């Protein structure tokens, strides 16, 4: 029997991996539409592109759907061209969470140690291979409803518009996912506290470019969103895409940039050269890199990363139970909740006998431009608290785009020896604060974990 004749309908996909496996289309964590890109053809190029499939964990999951072994067929020894062969060089101190596509976080000892994160140590979140872009041939397309079609070169952007700079932190939606994984297994990168960084971004304001193209925010013809598309794409030509509300894009205090500079230097390849969006106060997934196209629209982006990722659900919803209706009904993450983390001392640090206080430093951040007004730190799992000193006060009200660095010399319980749990919590200008534990905010994608951050240390006892 021809295996193609055995398919039970459009909801069932045969995966010829030798052994053969079947999979319900809607069970794919990336959504049915994405897995169907490979239907009727070889899956190898897609697995080379989305190399996170090449793990024992994924093969173990697929083993449950095994229906048999394929004899004969194509020569499986032939290698598919590696789409990541021309990736840029990276600093060896970065903590790699996934090599292909490349994802890595800032080491803790460099995290929050200065006003900005060094470019080479800034966390990297790539979804696809890094595109190679010739700056002289680069062109940005602006199109959509309520404006005229415009194409701008990099030179146009640098000469036709006023240059602006914004100090802003960017944070991956999955920052601190590790603590959620400790509660319950999650399919996602095992980010610790380093998927966040601060930089001074320079470029031109998105609102100025949209106005140049003729967009009038007072007569926007129902436009509600600004969509972005990047030059990074997969083997089917599908590019990374996302969108933000028009009010954020056009707001006089929204400060959304089309950036070509990071900490006074030209953007690197990993950070979006030659042009990227920087959306302050909003999750990093909306700050599209290698920007190629801007679209004004009544609808938000229909890209996978807007519709089937970066959304939060009840702890009772799983990858097995979530439905298309669930995905469509949940709003896409934009502003992120207040969070904080201890960068020093490191988890598991050993303190000398008789230590009475320990230097503690860390960061805090809240989305939507909400300032951090206080950081509390405890040396006894939250029974008593001490207020930290904020290192960079004075951010503008509701335009506090940067992270807040803090420190204190934390008194330890008198005469204590043995293990201690340090923890921190931040309070923002709307008096939002952090939940004490992770379990009640656990979600299947492991995003926006903002529970108290906890670090265990050990004080040496008398010999």
């Amino acid at each position: 029997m021809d295996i193609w004749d055995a398919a039970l309908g459009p909801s069932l996909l045969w995966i010829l991996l030798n052994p053969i496996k079947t999979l319900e289309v809607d069970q794919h964590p990336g959504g049915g539409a994405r897995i169907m890109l490979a239907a009727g053809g070889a899956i190898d190029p897609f697995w080379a592109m989305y190399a996170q499939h090449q793990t024992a964990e994924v093969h173990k999951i697929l083993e449950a759907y095994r229906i048999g072994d394929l004899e004969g067929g194509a020569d499986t020894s032939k290698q598919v061209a590696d789409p990541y062969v021309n990736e840029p060089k990276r600093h060896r101190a970065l903590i790699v969470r996934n090599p292909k596509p490349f994802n890595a976080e800032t080491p803790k000892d460099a995290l929050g140690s200065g006003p900005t994160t060094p470019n080479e140590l800034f966390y990297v979140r790539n979804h696809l291979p890094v595109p190679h872009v010739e700056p002289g041939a680069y062109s940005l397309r602006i199109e959509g409803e309520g404006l005229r079609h415009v194409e701008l070169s990099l030179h146009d952007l640098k000469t036709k518009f006023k240059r602006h700079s914004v100090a802003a932190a960017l944070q991956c939606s999955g920052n601190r996912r590790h603590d959620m994984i400790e509660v319950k297994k999650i399919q996602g990168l095992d980010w610790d506290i380093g998927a966040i960084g601060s930089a001074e971004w320079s470029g031109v304001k998105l609102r100025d470019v949209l106005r140049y193209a003729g967009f009038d925010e007072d007569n926007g013809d129902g436009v509600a969103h600004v969509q972005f598309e990047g030059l990074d794409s997969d083997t089917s030509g599908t590019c990374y895409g996302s969108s933000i509300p028009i009010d954020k894009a056009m707001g006089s205090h929204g400060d959304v940039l089309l950036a070509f500079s990071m900490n006074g230097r030209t953007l690197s390849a990993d950070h979006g050269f030659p042009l990227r969006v920087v959306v302050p106060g909003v999750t990093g997934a909306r700050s599209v890199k290698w920007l190629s196209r801007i679209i004004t629209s009544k609808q938000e982006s229909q890209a996978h990363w807007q519709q089937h990722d970066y959304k939060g659900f009840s702890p009772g919803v799983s990858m097995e139970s979530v439905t298309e209706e669930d995905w469509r009904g949940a709003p896409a993450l934009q502003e992120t909740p207040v969070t904080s983390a201890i960068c020093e001392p490191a988890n598991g640090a050993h303190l000398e006998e008789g230590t009475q206080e320990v230097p503690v430093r860390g960061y805090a951040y809240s989305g939507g431009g909400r300032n951090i007004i206080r950081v509390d730190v405890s040396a006894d799992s939250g029974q008593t608290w001490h207020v930290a000193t904020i290192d960079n006060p004075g951010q503008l009200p509701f335009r506090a785009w940067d992270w807040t660095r803090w420190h204190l010399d934390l008194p330890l319980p008198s005469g204590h020896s043995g293990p201690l749990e340090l923890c921190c919590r931040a309070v923002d200008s709307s008096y939002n604060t952090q939940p004490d534990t992770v379990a009640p905010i656990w979600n299947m994608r492991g995003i926006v974990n903002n529970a108290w951050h906890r670090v265990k240390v050990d004080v040496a006892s008398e010999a």
Side-chain angles (χ1 to χ4, degrees):
M1 179 180 64
D2 191 319
I3 59 173
W4 301 111
D5 294 335
L8 301 180
S11 65
L12 187 69
L13 185 69
W14 292 73
I15 303 177
L16 305 187
L17 291 173
N18 198 17
I20 306 170
K21 307 180 190 290
T22 62
L23 180 69
E24 290 287 340
V25 169
D26 289 340
Q27 290 178 305
H28 183 243
R34 289 176 67 78
I35 198 171
M36 288 305 291
L37 291 171
I43 200 171
D44 307 72
F46 292 90
W47 276 42
M49 179 70 65
Y50 300 102
Q52 59 266 39
H53 292 87
Q54 304 286 5
T55 65
E57 179 185 2
V58 171
H59 283 271
K60 182 178 179 181
I61 293 170
L62 286 174
E63 186 62 24
Y65 303 98
R66 176 177 177 172
I67 61 171
D69 297 319
L70 178 65
E71 294 184 1
D75 182 2
T76 58
S77 66
K78 293 182 179 179
Q79 296 295 312
V80 174
D82 184 359
Y84 297 95
V85 69
N86 293 316
E87 292 282 283
K89 291 184 178 180
R90 281 95 180 199
H91 199 288
R92 62 183 181 181
L94 286 169
I95 302 170
V96 179
R97 297 303 180 193
N98 193 69
K100 297 178 182 181
F102 187 79
N103 290 277
E105 62 181 280
T106 306
K108 291 187 183 74
D109 57 357
L111 197 62
S113 59
T116 60
T117 308
N119 293 16
E120 293 80 7
L121 297 179
F122 203 99
Y123 84 95
V124 178
R125 176 62 173 111
N126 293 339
H127 298 83
L128 296 160
V130 175
H132 177 74
V133 185
E134 290 291 343
Y138 173 80
S139 179
L140 172 66
R141 295 164 55 194
I142 302 102
E143 57 191 74
E145 301 179 58
L147 47 69
R148 69 182 188 278
H149 178 98
V150 171
E151 293 197 16
L152 296 169
S153 68
L154 194 60
H155 178 75
D156 290 334
L157 289 163
K158 291 181 176 180
T159 58
K160 291 184 176 181
F161 304 94
K162 182 179 178 180
R163 181 169 174 153
H164 296 268
S165 295
V166 174
L170 290 183
Q171 178 180 225
C172 177
S173 308
N175 191 36
R176 300 188 55 208
R177 180 179 286 139
H178 177 78
D179 293 340
M180 284 193 172
I181 294 174
E182 292 287 297
V183 172
K184 187 178 177 182
K185 191 173 182 179
I186 290 171
Q187 293 177 3
L189 298 176
D190 191 5
W191 294 113
D192 197 6
I193 66 170
I196 186 173
S198 172
E200 183 179 67
W201 309 94
S202 298
V204 300
K205 286 196 173 183
L206 172 62
R207 70 195 299 253
D208 291 346
V209 173
L210 292 179
R211 284 176 171 175
Y212 175 84
F215 187 78
D216 180 359
E217 59 264 46
D218 295 325
N219 187 24
D221 194 29
V223 169
H225 304 273
V226 179
Q227 302 179 21
F228 308 113
E229 292 182 356
L231 288 167
D232 48 334
S233 63
D234 64 18
T235 54
S236 72
T238 301
C239 64
Y240 184 85
S242 195
S243 63
I244 60 173
I246 189 68
D247 290 346
K248 175 64 176 177
M250 296 302 297
S252 59
H253 293 162
D255 295 327
V256 181
L257 288 186
L258 306 182
F260 39 74
S261 175
M262 177 182 182
N263 290 329
R265 295 160 54 191
T266 300
L267 288 173
S268 68
D270 264 328
H271 294 296
F273 175 83
L275 191 73
R276 71 171 298 164
V277 187
V278 173
V279 188
V282 168
T283 191
R286 313 302 169 213
S287 291
V288 175
K289 299 188 283 189
W290 313 290
L291 184 64
S292 66
R293 191 177 177 213
I294 299 173
I295 308 159
T296 52
S297 173
K298 294 182 176 69
Q299 295 183 323
E300 66 177 6
S301 170
Q302 295 302 298
H304 165 81
W305 298 275
Q306 191 83 16
Q307 299 300 325
H308 291 90
D309 206 348
Y310 304 121
K311 294 185 176 186
F313 296 93
S314 163
V317 177
S318 67
M319 290 301 294
E320 291 74 30
S321 68
V322 69
T323 66
E324 180 63 20
E325 184 178 0
D326 293 332
W327 280 115
R328 291 291 177 178
L333 178 63
Q334 296 284 344
E335 296 178 0
T336 53
V338 60
T339 191
S340 63
I342 296 170
C343 300
E344 291 183 6
N347 191 45
H350 294 279
L351 307 180
E352 293 181 358
E353 175 191 341
T355 299
Q356 297 181 2
E357 61 181 23
V358 59
V360 182
R361 68 170 186 87
Y363 67 77
Y365 174 75
S366 189
R370 291 178 288 274
N371 216 332
I372 299 297
I373 61 171
R374 194 178 78 239
V375 177
D376 300 326
V377 187
S378 172
D380 52 16
S381 303
Q383 297 181 56
T384 59
W385 296 91
H386 300 267
V387 178
T389 298
I390 290 177
D391 296 335
N392 56 324
Q395 294 194 65
L396 293 174
F398 299 102
R399 294 175 76 181
W401 310 128
D402 207 1
W403 59 10
T404 294
R405 293 172 290 108
W406 55 265
H407 75 277
L408 83 164
D409 291 327
L410 180 65
L412 302 183
S414 178
H416 179 88
S417 62
L420 279 175
E421 184 178 71
L422 316 184
C423 52
C424 67
R425 66 183 182 194
V427 181
D428 72 17
S429 54
S430 293
Y431 282 92
N432 300 308
T433 191
Q434 300 174 239
D436 58 345
T437 57
V438 176
I441 60 172
W442 183 96
N443 59 87
M444 67 175 192
R445 286 296 292 117
I447 63 170
V448 290
N449 174 26
N450 72 325
W452 297 355
H453 185 234
R454 301 168 185 267
V455 165
K456 290 181 170 59
V457 300
D458 189 80
V459 181
S461 58
E462 295 183 10

